[in-house]
Amino acid sequence: MRRRGPALRVALLGVTATLTGFALLAGWLGFHAYVYDKAREGATARTAGVIVEDGIGDGEDIRVRWRDHTGREHVQRFGIYDTDRYTKGRHFAVAYDPDETSPRGFPGDPEETAAEDDLLVPVLLAGIAAAGLCSVWAWRGLQFRRAARRPGRAMTATVYYGVRPGSAQELSETLWLRLAEADASDRPVVWQRIMWHPALDELRGPVEVSGHHKTGRRGAVMAQLPDGTRLVPLGRLRRRAPRRIFLDEYAAVRTTLKDSFTPVDAALLSARPWWWPGAQAAAIGLVVGAVTGALFIGTVVAAVGMALCGTTLLAALWTLSAPRP
């Protein structure tokens, strides 16, 4: 009887996290873009300000001193595109709402839309990133289905555990199958990266599998274990062992890890939800994104937006890394 593996639930979690994060980010930035646009429409009064500072930050913003119709002085920072035109000491047209008691200034030049673009462009970029992340899962599913339909042939498989040095362990762990023809020892071995499945923890040493792959092509191999478990391939079939990855037999690694835990630690690990490492990765993205937005941009809108980006990106990358409990 074929076992149900974790690939589908990990894929659903990844797609859900990606789409939810994008929807929240688009809603947050889109709302503030709408508020900004409505406020700018109400800015019917015009005045000439003086640029008191230029070249501020990476965007080379300017700081302008201007007065409203009541004579009240304001000093405000503006994002601009024409940095060569608006330099220190020059005049800068400012639009504001005369009905406001403490009016907010807007660039008088309608072509200066840096503030609006700072809200809308990230939504576009996030949409492209979300589409890319979801398309990876779609491609993996298509690759698995296409390989599963190919006729199988007897192969000998050994599971290997790999880690990329210098990377976060939760995102750098990989599982590989070392495959060889069962009836032809003179043929070279091939390597196929796979997603984790609980059936792998029960394997010891080489095992006979049925390899489904189109002969003569560089597509993926779908390996089916003797109990009917179908392992989901990741990426293409490799003729050589992956480079810059430390490999060791998976059975030996699992045995070492199990022996290294005390009974209390083992109980805690077994009771931990399978998605817990992903939640930790999302929490790290939340904190790092919020701090980055607050320190480098300095607004609540940016801090929340960067926090949503960090949370979504790390959670999506965790699922794409094909995690194991």
Side-chain angles (χ1 to χ4, degrees):
M1 182 178 179
R2 186 181 302 162
R3 295 187 182 184
R4 292 192 177 187
L8 180 59
R9 63 183 180 183
V10 172
L12 290 176
L13 177 62
V15 172
T16 301
T18 301
L19 295 180
T20 302
F22 170 70
L24 292 175
L25 178 64
W28 174 256
L29 295 181
F31 169 76
H32 286 281
Y34 172 79
V35 171
Y36 182 91
D37 185 63
K38 295 298 291 184
R40 187 165 185 172
E41 287 182 2
T44 56
R46 296 288 190 279
T47 187
V50 178
I51 302 172
V52 296
E53 187 179 359
D54 60 14
I56 303 173
D58 295 336
E60 298 186 3
D61 296 346
I62 60 174
R63 185 167 282 110
V64 179
R65 181 184 292 114
W66 59 279
R67 295 179 183 273
D68 58 29
H69 65 288
T70 65
R72 183 178 179 183
E73 185 178 87
H74 306 267
V75 178
Q76 185 177 336
R77 179 172 171 172
F78 293 90
I80 57 170
Y81 286 128
D82 196 350
T83 55
D84 294 332
R85 176 184 176 187
Y86 298 115
T87 57
K88 184 177 179 179
R90 292 191 175 185
H91 290 289
F92 182 79
V94 178
Y96 67 95
D97 188 348
D99 297 330
E100 293 288 339
T101 57
S102 181
R104 174 186 181 182
F106 301 89
D109 185 354
E111 299 298 324
E112 291 292 353
T113 59
E116 297 100 316
D117 294 343
D118 286 345
L119 294 171
L120 296 177
V121 171
V123 176
L124 175 62
L125 296 178
I128 295 174
L133 292 171
C134 292
S135 65
V136 173
W137 284 116
W139 171 248
R140 287 180 176 181
L142 178 62
Q143 189 180 48
F144 172 76
R145 292 298 180 185
R146 290 177 61 183
R149 293 174 181 172
R150 304 298 182 189
R153 61 180 185 272
M155 305 185 78
T156 302
T158 306
V159 186
Y160 280 80
Y161 171 82
V163 176
R164 294 185 181 90
S167 302
Q169 184 175 2
E170 292 293 346
L171 300 179
S172 66
E173 295 179 346
T174 54
L175 290 178
W176 297 82
L177 286 181
R178 183 179 183 273
L179 297 163
E181 297 287 347
D183 56 351
S185 58
D186 57 332
R187 291 189 182 182
V189 299
V190 293
W191 295 80
Q192 175 66 62
R193 188 186 171 195
I194 57 172
M195 292 189 70
W196 178 84
H197 192 284
L200 298 176
D201 293 345
E202 302 174 6
L203 300 182
R204 295 294 182 271
V207 61
E208 297 294 326
V209 300
S210 175
H212 298 258
H213 174 60
K214 189 171 184 178
T215 306
R217 295 296 182 93
R218 297 173 62 85
V221 172
M222 194 285 292
Q224 183 171 332
L225 299 180
D227 64 355
T229 299
R230 299 191 298 178
L231 302 177
V232 178
L234 300 178
R236 60 179 178 82
L237 183 69
R238 296 172 181 257
R239 306 298 175 181
R240 299 177 181 177
R243 298 178 180 178
R244 295 184 293 275
I245 295 179
F246 294 147
L247 293 171
D248 196 2
E249 279 201 40
Y250 183 65
V253 172
R254 294 295 286 184
T255 302
T256 303
L257 290 176
K258 289 179 180 179
D259 293 343
S260 64
F261 294 129
T262 64
V264 175
D265 294 332
L268 290 175
L269 287 173
S270 62
R272 187 184 67 180
W274 65 272
W275 45 262
W276 181 247
Q280 290 179 313
I284 293 173
L286 175 68
V287 174
V288 173
V291 172
T292 301
L295 291 180
F296 291 95
I297 304 179
T299 64
V300 175
V301 175
V304 175
M306 292 292 289
L308 290 172
C309 286
T311 301
T312 304
L313 183 60
L314 284 190
L317 290 178
W318 176 79
T319 57
L320 285 175
S321 68
R324 63 183 179 88

mmCIF file with all atom_site columns, all heavy atoms in Angstrom, residues 242-257:
data_model
loop_
_atom_site.group_PDB
_atom_site.id
_atom_site.type_symbol
_atom_site.label_atom_id
_atom_site.label_alt_id
_atom_site.label_comp_id
_atom_site.label_asym_id
_atom_site.label_entity_id
_atom_site.label_seq_id
_atom_site.pdbx_PDB_ins_code
_atom_site.Cartn_x
_atom_site.Cartn_y
_atom_site.Cartn_z
_atom_site.occupancy
_atom_site.B_iso_or_equiv
_atom_site.pdbx_formal_charge
_atom_site.auth_seq_id
_atom_site.auth_comp_id
_atom_site.auth_asym_id
_atom_site.auth_atom_id
_atom_site.pdbx_PDB_model_num
ATOM 1   N N   . PRO A 1 242 ? 26.800 16.105 -6.262  1.00 0.00 ? 242 PRO A N   1
ATOM 2   C CA  . PRO A 1 242 ? 26.696 17.565 -6.159  1.00 0.00 ? 242 PRO A CA  1
ATOM 3   C C   . PRO A 1 242 ? 27.950 18.169 -5.543  1.00 0.00 ? 242 PRO A C   1
ATOM 4   O O   . PRO A 1 242 ? 28.521 17.635 -4.600  1.00 0.00 ? 242 PRO A O   1
ATOM 5   C CB  . PRO A 1 242 ? 25.470 17.769 -5.255  1.00 0.00 ? 242 PRO A CB  1
ATOM 6   C CG  . PRO A 1 242 ? 25.331 16.487 -4.507  1.00 0.00 ? 242 PRO A CG  1
ATOM 7   C CD  . PRO A 1 242 ? 25.797 15.412 -5.438  1.00 0.00 ? 242 PRO A CD  1
ATOM 8   N N   . ARG A 1 243 ? 28.351 19.306 -6.081  1.00 0.00 ? 243 ARG A N   1
ATOM 9   C CA  . ARG A 1 243 ? 29.544 19.978 -5.589  1.00 0.00 ? 243 ARG A CA  1
ATOM 10  C C   . ARG A 1 243 ? 29.197 20.901 -4.431  1.00 0.00 ? 243 ARG A C   1
ATOM 11  O O   . ARG A 1 243 ? 28.072 21.326 -4.256  1.00 0.00 ? 243 ARG A O   1
ATOM 12  C CB  . ARG A 1 243 ? 30.191 20.794 -6.713  1.00 0.00 ? 243 ARG A CB  1
ATOM 13  C CG  . ARG A 1 243 ? 30.661 19.950 -7.898  1.00 0.00 ? 243 ARG A CG  1
ATOM 14  C CD  . ARG A 1 243 ? 31.252 20.847 -8.976  1.00 0.00 ? 243 ARG A CD  1
ATOM 15  N NE  . ARG A 1 243 ? 31.721 20.053 -10.121 1.00 0.00 ? 243 ARG A NE  1
ATOM 16  C CZ  . ARG A 1 243 ? 32.254 20.588 -11.215 1.00 0.00 ? 243 ARG A CZ  1
ATOM 17  N NH1 . ARG A 1 243 ? 32.384 21.904 -11.297 1.00 0.00 ? 243 ARG A NH1 1
ATOM 18  N NH2 . ARG A 1 243 ? 32.645 19.809 -12.213 1.00 0.00 ? 243 ARG A NH2 1
ATOM 19  N N   . ARG A 1 244 ? 30.223 21.228 -3.644  1.00 0.00 ? 244 ARG A N   1
ATOM 20  C CA  . ARG A 1 244 ? 30.112 22.150 -2.517  1.00 0.00 ? 244 ARG A CA  1
ATOM 21  C C   . ARG A 1 244 ? 29.052 21.710 -1.505  1.00 0.00 ? 244 ARG A C   1
ATOM 22  O O   . ARG A 1 244 ? 28.402 22.524 -0.859  1.00 0.00 ? 244 ARG A O   1
ATOM 23  C CB  . ARG A 1 244 ? 29.834 23.572 -3.007  1.00 0.00 ? 244 ARG A CB  1
ATOM 24  C CG  . ARG A 1 244 ? 30.979 24.156 -3.827  1.00 0.00 ? 244 ARG A CG  1
ATOM 25  C CD  . ARG A 1 244 ? 30.685 25.591 -4.212  1.00 0.00 ? 244 ARG A CD  1
ATOM 26  N NE  . ARG A 1 244 ? 29.567 25.672 -5.136  1.00 0.00 ? 244 ARG A NE  1
ATOM 27  C CZ  . ARG A 1 244 ? 29.686 25.534 -6.450  1.00 0.00 ? 244 ARG A CZ  1
ATOM 28  N NH1 . ARG A 1 244 ? 30.871 25.313 -6.996  1.00 0.00 ? 244 ARG A NH1 1
ATOM 29  N NH2 . ARG A 1 244 ? 28.635 25.634 -7.230  1.00 0.00 ? 244 ARG A NH2 1
ATOM 30  N N   . ILE A 1 245 ? 28.837 20.402 -1.408  1.00 0.00 ? 245 ILE A N   1
ATOM 31  C CA  . ILE A 1 245 ? 27.910 19.839 -0.434  1.00 0.00 ? 245 ILE A CA  1
ATOM 32  C C   . ILE A 1 245 ? 28.591 18.677 0.263   1.00 0.00 ? 245 ILE A C   1
ATOM 33  O O   . ILE A 1 245 ? 29.143 17.784 -0.402  1.00 0.00 ? 245 ILE A O   1
ATOM 34  C CB  . ILE A 1 245 ? 26.607 19.365 -1.111  1.00 0.00 ? 245 ILE A CB  1
ATOM 35  C CG1 . ILE A 1 245 ? 25.848 20.555 -1.706  1.00 0.00 ? 245 ILE A CG1 1
ATOM 36  C CG2 . ILE A 1 245 ? 25.718 18.639 -0.111  1.00 0.00 ? 245 ILE A CG2 1
ATOM 37  C CD1 . ILE A 1 245 ? 24.559 20.179 -2.404  1.00 0.00 ? 245 ILE A CD1 1
ATOM 38  N N   . PHE A 1 246 ? 28.561 18.673 1.583   1.00 0.00 ? 246 PHE A N   1
ATOM 39  C CA  . PHE A 1 246 ? 29.100 17.557 2.353   1.00 0.00 ? 246 PHE A CA  1
ATOM 40  C C   . PHE A 1 246 ? 28.056 16.454 2.405   1.00 0.00 ? 246 PHE A C   1
ATOM 41  O O   . PHE A 1 246 ? 26.934 16.667 2.879   1.00 0.00 ? 246 PHE A O   1
ATOM 42  C CB  . PHE A 1 246 ? 29.474 18.010 3.757   1.00 0.00 ? 246 PHE A CB  1
ATOM 43  C CG  . PHE A 1 246 ? 30.601 18.999 3.798   1.00 0.00 ? 246 PHE A CG  1
ATOM 44  C CD1 . PHE A 1 246 ? 30.640 19.988 4.771   1.00 0.00 ? 246 PHE A CD1 1
ATOM 45  C CD2 . PHE A 1 246 ? 31.636 18.935 2.882   1.00 0.00 ? 246 PHE A CD2 1
ATOM 46  C CE1 . PHE A 1 246 ? 31.681 20.904 4.817   1.00 0.00 ? 246 PHE A CE1 1
ATOM 47  C CE2 . PHE A 1 246 ? 32.688 19.839 2.906   1.00 0.00 ? 246 PHE A CE2 1
ATOM 48  C CZ  . PHE A 1 246 ? 32.706 20.824 3.877   1.00 0.00 ? 246 PHE A CZ  1
ATOM 49  N N   . LEU A 1 247 ? 28.424 15.266 1.935   1.00 0.00 ? 247 LEU A N   1
ATOM 50  C CA  . LEU A 1 247 ? 27.489 14.146 1.851   1.00 0.00 ? 247 LEU A CA  1
ATOM 51  C C   . LEU A 1 247 ? 27.884 13.047 2.817   1.00 0.00 ? 247 LEU A C   1
ATOM 52  O O   . LEU A 1 247 ? 29.070 12.762 3.008   1.00 0.00 ? 247 LEU A O   1
ATOM 53  C CB  . LEU A 1 247 ? 27.442 13.583 0.425   1.00 0.00 ? 247 LEU A CB  1
ATOM 54  C CG  . LEU A 1 247 ? 26.852 14.502 -0.650  1.00 0.00 ? 247 LEU A CG  1
ATOM 55  C CD1 . LEU A 1 247 ? 27.077 13.906 -2.030  1.00 0.00 ? 247 LEU A CD1 1
ATOM 56  C CD2 . LEU A 1 247 ? 25.368 14.733 -0.410  1.00 0.00 ? 247 LEU A CD2 1
ATOM 57  N N   . ASP A 1 248 ? 26.888 12.420 3.406   1.00 0.00 ? 248 ASP A N   1
ATOM 58  C CA  . ASP A 1 248 ? 27.093 11.255 4.257   1.00 0.00 ? 248 ASP A CA  1
ATOM 59  C C   . ASP A 1 248 ? 25.854 10.377 4.134   1.00 0.00 ? 248 ASP A C   1
ATOM 60  O O   . ASP A 1 248 ? 24.768 10.863 3.812   1.00 0.00 ? 248 ASP A O   1
ATOM 61  C CB  . ASP A 1 248 ? 27.306 11.674 5.714   1.00 0.00 ? 248 ASP A CB  1
ATOM 62  C CG  . ASP A 1 248 ? 27.895 10.539 6.556   1.00 0.00 ? 248 ASP A CG  1
ATOM 63  O OD1 . ASP A 1 248 ? 28.164 9.461  5.982   1.00 0.00 ? 248 ASP A OD1 1
ATOM 64  O OD2 . ASP A 1 248 ? 28.060 10.722 7.764   1.00 0.00 ? 248 ASP A OD2 1
ATOM 65  N N   . GLU A 1 249 ? 26.018 9.081  4.392   1.00 0.00 ? 249 GLU A N   1
ATOM 66  C CA  . GLU A 1 249 ? 24.868 8.185  4.283   1.00 0.00 ? 249 GLU A CA  1
ATOM 67  C C   . GLU A 1 249 ? 23.795 8.602  5.280   1.00 0.00 ? 249 GLU A C   1
ATOM 68  O O   . GLU A 1 249 ? 24.083 8.847  6.448   1.00 0.00 ? 249 GLU A O   1
ATOM 69  C CB  . GLU A 1 249 ? 25.269 6.734  4.522   1.00 0.00 ? 249 GLU A CB  1
ATOM 70  C CG  . GLU A 1 249 ? 25.876 6.084  3.307   1.00 0.00 ? 249 GLU A CG  1
ATOM 71  C CD  . GLU A 1 249 ? 25.809 4.567  3.363   1.00 0.00 ? 249 GLU A CD  1
ATOM 72  O OE1 . GLU A 1 249 ? 24.762 4.044  3.811   1.00 0.00 ? 249 GLU A OE1 1
ATOM 73  O OE2 . GLU A 1 249 ? 26.778 3.923  2.978   1.00 0.00 ? 249 GLU A OE2 1
ATOM 74  N N   . TYR A 1 250 ? 22.570 8.671  4.811   1.00 0.00 ? 250 TYR A N   1
ATOM 75  C CA  . TYR A 1 250 ? 21.470 9.167  5.631   1.00 0.00 ? 250 TYR A CA  1
ATOM 76  C C   . TYR A 1 250 ? 21.219 8.289  6.844   1.00 0.00 ? 250 TYR A C   1
ATOM 77  O O   . TYR A 1 250 ? 20.947 8.783  7.939   1.00 0.00 ? 250 TYR A O   1
ATOM 78  C CB  . TYR A 1 250 ? 20.206 9.245  4.768   1.00 0.00 ? 250 TYR A CB  1
ATOM 79  C CG  . TYR A 1 250 ? 19.009 9.816  5.487   1.00 0.00 ? 250 TYR A CG  1
ATOM 80  C CD1 . TYR A 1 250 ? 19.001 11.130 5.920   1.00 0.00 ? 250 TYR A CD1 1
ATOM 81  C CD2 . TYR A 1 250 ? 17.881 9.032  5.705   1.00 0.00 ? 250 TYR A CD2 1
ATOM 82  C CE1 . TYR A 1 250 ? 17.896 11.656 6.569   1.00 0.00 ? 250 TYR A CE1 1
ATOM 83  C CE2 . TYR A 1 250 ? 16.772 9.556  6.343   1.00 0.00 ? 250 TYR A CE2 1
ATOM 84  C CZ  . TYR A 1 250 ? 16.785 10.860 6.775   1.00 0.00 ? 250 TYR A CZ  1
ATOM 85  O OH  . TYR A 1 250 ? 15.695 11.382 7.415   1.00 0.00 ? 250 TYR A OH  1
ATOM 86  N N   . ALA A 1 251 ? 21.328 6.990  6.693   1.00 0.00 ? 251 ALA A N   1
ATOM 87  C CA  . ALA A 1 251 ? 21.091 6.078  7.813   1.00 0.00 ? 251 ALA A CA  1
ATOM 88  C C   . ALA A 1 251 ? 22.074 6.343  8.941   1.00 0.00 ? 251 ALA A C   1
ATOM 89  O O   . ALA A 1 251 ? 21.722 6.370  10.120  1.00 0.00 ? 251 ALA A O   1
ATOM 90  C CB  . ALA A 1 251 ? 21.187 4.633  7.351   1.00 0.00 ? 251 ALA A CB  1
ATOM 91  N N   . ALA A 1 252 ? 23.342 6.563  8.600   1.00 0.00 ? 252 ALA A N   1
ATOM 92  C CA  . ALA A 1 252 ? 24.345 6.831  9.623   1.00 0.00 ? 252 ALA A CA  1
ATOM 93  C C   . ALA A 1 252 ? 24.093 8.155  10.313  1.00 0.00 ? 252 ALA A C   1
ATOM 94  O O   . ALA A 1 252 ? 24.251 8.288  11.530  1.00 0.00 ? 252 ALA A O   1
ATOM 95  C CB  . ALA A 1 252 ? 25.742 6.829  8.990   1.00 0.00 ? 252 ALA A CB  1
ATOM 96  N N   . VAL A 1 253 ? 23.658 9.149  9.569   1.00 0.00 ? 253 VAL A N   1
ATOM 97  C CA  . VAL A 1 253 ? 23.382 10.464 10.160  1.00 0.00 ? 253 VAL A CA  1
ATOM 98  C C   . VAL A 1 253 ? 22.221 10.380 11.123  1.00 0.00 ? 253 VAL A C   1
ATOM 99  O O   . VAL A 1 253 ? 22.265 10.904 12.234  1.00 0.00 ? 253 VAL A O   1
ATOM 100 C CB  . VAL A 1 253 ? 23.109 11.498 9.048   1.00 0.00 ? 253 VAL A CB  1
ATOM 101 C CG1 . VAL A 1 253 ? 22.626 12.811 9.648   1.00 0.00 ? 253 VAL A CG1 1
ATOM 102 C CG2 . VAL A 1 253 ? 24.366 11.728 8.222   1.00 0.00 ? 253 VAL A CG2 1
ATOM 103 N N   . ARG A 1 254 ? 21.148 9.714  10.709  1.00 0.00 ? 254 ARG A N   1
ATOM 104 C CA  . ARG A 1 254 ? 19.973 9.605  11.575  1.00 0.00 ? 254 ARG A CA  1
ATOM 105 C C   . ARG A 1 254 ? 20.295 8.834  12.849  1.00 0.00 ? 254 ARG A C   1
ATOM 106 O O   . ARG A 1 254 ? 19.840 9.179  13.931  1.00 0.00 ? 254 ARG A O   1
ATOM 107 C CB  . ARG A 1 254 ? 18.822 8.919  10.833  1.00 0.00 ? 254 ARG A CB  1
ATOM 108 C CG  . ARG A 1 254 ? 18.274 9.709  9.676   1.00 0.00 ? 254 ARG A CG  1
ATOM 109 C CD  . ARG A 1 254 ? 17.618 10.989 10.120  1.00 0.00 ? 254 ARG A CD  1
ATOM 110 N NE  . ARG A 1 254 ? 16.321 10.736 10.746  1.00 0.00 ? 254 ARG A NE  1
ATOM 111 C CZ  . ARG A 1 254 ? 15.493 11.687 11.153  1.00 0.00 ? 254 ARG A CZ  1
ATOM 112 N NH1 . ARG A 1 254 ? 15.846 12.953 11.050  1.00 0.00 ? 254 ARG A NH1 1
ATOM 113 N NH2 . ARG A 1 254 ? 14.327 11.393 11.703  1.00 0.00 ? 254 ARG A NH2 1
ATOM 114 N N   . THR A 1 255 ? 21.086 7.794  12.719  1.00 0.00 ? 255 THR A N   1
ATOM 115 C CA  . THR A 1 255 ? 21.460 7.020  13.904  1.00 0.00 ? 255 THR A CA  1
ATOM 116 C C   . THR A 1 255 ? 22.256 7.869  14.879  1.00 0.00 ? 255 THR A C   1
ATOM 117 O O   . THR A 1 255 ? 22.031 7.855  16.090  1.00 0.00 ? 255 THR A O   1
ATOM 118 C CB  . THR A 1 255 ? 22.260 5.779  13.492  1.00 0.00 ? 255 THR A CB  1
ATOM 119 O OG1 . THR A 1 255 ? 21.478 4.989  12.601  1.00 0.00 ? 255 THR A OG1 1
ATOM 120 C CG2 . THR A 1 255 ? 22.642 4.969  14.706  1.00 0.00 ? 255 THR A CG2 1
ATOM 121 N N   . THR A 1 256 ? 23.203 8.647  14.352  1.00 0.00 ? 256 THR A N   1
ATOM 122 C CA  . THR A 1 256 ? 24.020 9.508  15.207  1.00 0.00 ? 256 THR A CA  1
ATOM 123 C C   . THR A 1 256 ? 23.167 10.553 15.908  1.00 0.00 ? 256 THR A C   1
ATOM 124 O O   . THR A 1 256 ? 23.328 10.822 17.099  1.00 0.00 ? 256 THR A O   1
ATOM 125 C CB  . THR A 1 256 ? 25.107 10.195 14.371  1.00 0.00 ? 256 THR A CB  1
ATOM 126 O OG1 . THR A 1 256 ? 25.890 9.200  13.726  1.00 0.00 ? 256 THR A OG1 1
ATOM 127 C CG2 . THR A 1 256 ? 25.997 11.059 15.243  1.00 0.00 ? 256 THR A CG2 1
ATOM 128 N N   . LEU A 1 257 ? 22.241 11.160 15.184  1.00 0.00 ? 257 LEU A N   1
ATOM 129 C CA  . LEU A 1 257 ? 21.397 12.188 15.779  1.00 0.00 ? 257 LEU A CA  1
ATOM 130 C C   . LEU A 1 257 ? 20.501 11.620 16.862  1.00 0.00 ? 257 LEU A C   1
ATOM 131 O O   . LEU A 1 257 ? 20.321 12.219 17.923  1.00 0.00 ? 257 LEU A O   1
ATOM 132 C CB  . LEU A 1 257 ? 20.548 12.855 14.690  1.00 0.00 ? 257 LEU A CB  1
ATOM 133 C CG  . LEU A 1 257 ? 21.304 13.742 13.696  1.00 0.00 ? 257 LEU A CG  1
ATOM 134 C CD1 . LEU A 1 257 ? 20.357 14.246 12.627  1.00 0.00 ? 257 LEU A CD1 1
ATOM 135 C CD2 . LEU A 1 257 ? 21.962 14.904 14.412  1.00 0.00 ? 257 LEU A CD2 1
#
